[in-house]
Amino acid sequence: AFALKLGKPKSNVTISSTDDMQNLINSVYEGQVDNLPPTLNTQIVDINNADVLKSFTGLTSNENIDAVVVSEPMIGSQAYSFVLVKVKDGTDADSIAKQMSENIDTRKWICVEAEKLYATSVDNLAVLVMSSDEWATPVYNKLKEVLGAYNEEYVKENNGIEYDQSAEDMIY
């Protein structure tokens, strides 16, 4: 008899820089123009700014983080966010993905809320996609296809009211 050693799944994609992260987002977007909001902007996030880090990732510390790249609409109130977090060597990317899924504010746009949230990880990468179902699901599925492997998946659905309650309260 022999023992079969099962490790964590390995991705097709190697992430060693923010360029690799931006290329991954571009690969996911390829052929997806109909499934995406307009005016998307991909940028590197300043992980030393705690408020910015929390806003994009839900994480309260950059201790185990090497880099964050995010793609969001530049204008308008479209609830769409695609976040890649490169974790430091020896950090469990799965625990970071789980933290992001639990702590990100799905109402960070104030007047709109992400209906669907997906988070997962592979190798040194934690990923978060949140938006309407029509945008989040195709992007997340294409991401998994491009990566070729992934760990635990964290999924949340918000089917609540999609407007700012406080604004309506002020009317009355």
Side-chain angles (χ1 to χ4, degrees):
F2 60 93
L4 192 63
K5 189 176 179 199
L6 291 175
K8 289 199 179 254
K10 291 291 287 169
S11 171
N12 297 329
V13 179
T14 303
I15 300 295
S16 51
S17 68
T18 52
D19 283 349
D20 293 342
M21 296 164 81
Q22 290 173 313
N23 290 337
L24 174 57
I25 289 175
N26 292 338
S27 298
V28 169
Y29 286 169
E30 228 165 78
Q32 290 267 28
V33 74
D34 296 339
N35 298 327
L36 296 170
T39 69
L40 284 175
N41 180 40
T42 301
Q43 61 181 339
I44 299 167
V45 173
D46 177 5
I47 62 170
N48 296 312
N49 181 325
D51 293 334
V52 170
L53 182 70
K54 188 170 187 349
S55 168
F56 284 119
T57 65
L59 300 172
T60 53
S61 164
N62 67 0
E63 186 186 348
N64 298 312
I65 307 304
D66 259 349
V68 175
V69 172
V70 64
S71 177
E72 291 193 343
M74 286 188 291
I75 51 166
S77 56
Q78 290 133 333
Y80 178 89
S81 188
F82 180 6
V83 183
L84 301 180
V85 175
K86 181 179 176 289
V87 301
K88 289 185 175 162
D89 288 346
T91 300
D92 179 18
D94 181 59
S95 70
I96 299 292
K98 186 174 196 288
Q99 281 177 44
M100 292 191 330
S101 74
E102 291 170 353
N103 299 319
I104 191 72
D105 180 5
T106 57
R107 293 191 61 101
K108 71 180 198 161
W109 300 274
I110 301 174
C111 54
V112 290
E113 179 174 15
E115 293 175 332
K116 204 76 175 239
L117 176 150
Y118 297 100
T120 192
S121 66
V122 65
D123 305 335
N124 63 345
L125 191 66
V127 179
L128 176 93
V129 178
M130 65 176 182
S131 186
S132 64
D133 194 19
E134 67 178 317
W135 289 335
T137 303
V139 167
Y140 182 68
N141 288 339
K142 177 85 182 279
L143 172 72
K144 291 192 299 182
E145 185 185 306
V146 172
L147 290 174
Y150 47 91
N151 297 314
E152 187 79 31
E153 296 182 83
Y154 304 97
V155 181
K156 273 189 184 170
E157 279 190 77
N158 296 315
N159 293 324
I161 298 166
E162 284 193 41
Y163 59 88
D164 186 350
Q165 187 64 47
S166 59
E168 190 178 270
D169 291 345
M170 288 188 275
I171 296 167
Y172 298 109

